[in-house]
Amino acid sequence: MDDLKLVFNNKSPMISVGSANFGQGLVLIAGPCSVESETQVRKVVDGIYGRAHILRGGAFKPRTSPYDFQGIGLEGLKILNSVRETIPVISEVLDVRDLPIVSEMVDIIQIGSRNMQNFPLLKEVGKLKKPVLLKRGMQATIEEWLSAAEYILYEGNPNVILCERGIRTFESYTRNTLDLNAVVAVKQKTNLPVIVDPSHGTGRSELVTNLSLAAVAAGADGLIIEVHPDPKNSVSDKEQALSPGEFNTLSEKAKALRCFLESASL
Ligand code: PEP
Ligand code: MN
């Protein structure tokens, strides 16, 4: 890991997006796996408003099967853009050709797990100043994940936020195995903010709240949670989606735990 000079020596600027300051307090990001319609997005915004700092929503979706829903693309970006006066938004860029339009329409650019080692894409987001959420590849070691961050920093963008989203293991009860070891290790070794995605990390809605609390206890700087106004009818990842009410309960518990840890100086 010795050649990760920028990751290890980075002083990490405060990354501020709307009311969220990554690295200071607990940042909560919530929203649907996929942007489906304006009505759906507005219902989510109403449901999470005042609890989440940032809205998530996939417009371009990376799907394992070419026959699965691929996202509504540009139309989805426009819907996200239309709520930015109310709440900042994050969305994934899949293809380097879409980067100009995605970066214009979102507040944080997401690099998904499947693109963590798409080096041309990492270099291009590195040339921007916009914050980048770098999700860990599902089969990436911590060193490979940090090397991907190094690519972005090397191009001059210091605004990198890391996201642990679970890795592949032999366990098949859960979609992935949330690797909280990595959160603690990366927080100890670097100054980069690290957030956790227990939705993809577990793939099971009934596990999301407790794994969120475990992530807070591990020192995560934030959480990104899939929330849908009608989870069982979500067009993607319905098994892991929370309702707005469930998210709000989660947010209260997570904030209370964070508060307790801070006041106890743990
Ligand atoms: C997502 O967050 O929308 C997503 C597709 O997650 P991941 O890249 O972690 O699989
Ligand atoms: Mn999803």
Side-chain angles (χ1 to χ4, degrees):
M1 290 211 205
D2 292 347
D3 60 342
L4 298 176
K5 299 182 189 64
L6 301 173
V7 160
F8 290 137
N9 300 323
N10 183 31
K11 292 279 175 288
S12 278
M14 173 65 69
I15 304 175
S16 298
V17 179
S19 61
N21 295 311
F22 288 88
Q24 210 177 65
L26 186 70
V27 175
L28 296 180
I29 306 175
C33 178
S34 304
V35 175
E36 297 168 19
S37 67
E38 184 162 354
T39 313
Q40 173 230 23
V41 167
R42 291 199 180 271
K43 277 188 190 160
V44 176
V45 173
D46 287 349
I48 64 171
Y49 191 74
R51 313 257 184 183
H53 302 91
I54 299 167
L55 173 75
R56 63 148 287 147
F60 298 100
K61 293 303 300 175
R63 304 307 299 279
T64 303
S65 166
Y67 303 109
D68 285 342
F69 176 70
Q70 303 287 310
I72 60 173
L74 185 57
E75 194 192 328
L77 284 181
K78 288 184 184 156
I79 293 171
L80 291 173
N81 191 40
S82 74
V83 300
R84 279 169 81 193
E85 280 185 9
T86 312
I87 187 167
V89 303
I90 174 170
S91 198
E92 177 167 355
V93 63
L94 271 189
D95 186 322
V96 75
R97 291 169 295 186
D98 298 325
L99 188 55
I101 188 74
V102 174
S103 71
E104 197 185 308
M105 299 232 187
V106 305
D107 299 283
I108 305 178
I109 301 165
Q110 179 170 324
I111 302 284
S113 190
R114 292 155 191 80
N115 263 324
M116 189 206 80
Q117 285 187 317
N118 181 337
F119 300 115
L121 187 57
L122 297 177
K123 286 183 185 174
E124 289 308 309
V125 296
K127 291 178 187 151
L128 307 175
K129 287 286 168 275
K130 196 145 261 198
V132 177
L133 182 77
L134 180 64
K135 297 193 92 175
R136 181 182 183 182
M138 61 187 80
Q139 289 169 142
T141 63
I142 293 173
E143 183 169 359
E144 287 163 341
W145 186 24
L146 295 181
S147 298
E150 184 86 5
Y151 264 91
I152 301 172
L153 298 174
Y154 181 79
E155 294 297 331
N157 188 345
N159 301 309
V160 177
I161 304 153
L162 296 170
C163 178
E164 161 58 38
R165 48 78 73 205
I167 51 174
R168 276 205 173 153
T169 67
F170 59 82
E171 181 55 72
S172 57
Y173 178 76
T174 47
R175 180 174 179 180
N176 291 291
T177 296
L178 194 64
D179 181 13
L180 295 179
N181 294 1
V183 176
V184 180
V186 172
K187 290 286 298 170
Q188 280 177 3
K189 290 267 178 201
T190 83
N191 290 316
L192 297 172
V194 184
I195 71 164
V196 171
D197 174 350
S199 304
H200 293 90
T202 64
R204 301 178 75 114
S205 58
E206 74 276 17
L207 301 184
V208 169
T209 299
N210 282 9
L211 269 301
S212 297
L213 299 179
V216 172
D221 296 299
L223 299 166
I224 178 165
I225 309 287
E226 286 193 344
V227 176
H228 193 281
D230 181 11
K232 53 186 182 319
N233 286 312
S234 175
V235 298
S236 54
D237 288 352
K238 55 157 101 49
E239 307 77 12
Q240 66 196 39
L242 299 190
S243 66
E246 288 167 332
F247 170 73
N248 290 338
T249 307
L250 179 163
S251 77
E252 290 302 314
K253 290 183 177 174
K255 282 182 217 162
L257 176 58
R258 173 77 180 214
C259 223
F260 167 74
L261 294 171
E262 274 170 9
S263 65
S265 303
L266 294 171

